[in-house]
Amino acid sequence: MAEREDAELRVAEKAILAAFNELRATRRQPPLTEMPEPPYCAFCGRSKKETGALVEGLTAYICFDCASEARRLLLQE
């Protein structure tokens, strides 16, 4: 059972990394080769060192840039 869970976690990690890199490409940032060490922004994958600050939620962090973009999108709707 543990092997199956490990395999599922690796698949999920690859999917998250692909999503991070897709977003990073739109921002003309270099792709990540591996998951960043926590804490990192759950939206763009940048580390606290890259962003300067992260807001901590219950299970994830968000950087100022992503929070600002989310706010902008919410105000449009």
Side-chain angles (χ1 to χ4, degrees), residues 35-75:
M35 289 294 292
E37 289 294 317
Y40 58 86
C41 177
F43 291 84
C44 68
R46 291 183 296 163
S47 69
K48 186 174 183 177
K49 184 188 285 187
E50 292 175 283
T51 63
L54 292 168
V55 176
E56 183 177 1
L58 293 176
T59 59
Y61 296 85
I62 188 169
C63 70
F64 178 80
D65 291 342
C66 289
S68 295
E69 180 66 11
R71 181 180 184 277
R72 185 186 67 76
L73 292 171
L74 286 170
L75 290 175

Side-chain angles (χ1 to χ4, degrees), residues 17-36:
L17 186 60
F20 279 163
N21 284 330
E22 189 175 313
L23 178 60
R24 289 175 72 88
T26 64
R27 295 180 172 182
R28 293 184 174 87
Q29 296 172 328
L32 300 172
T33 57
E34 59 186 34
M35 289 294 292

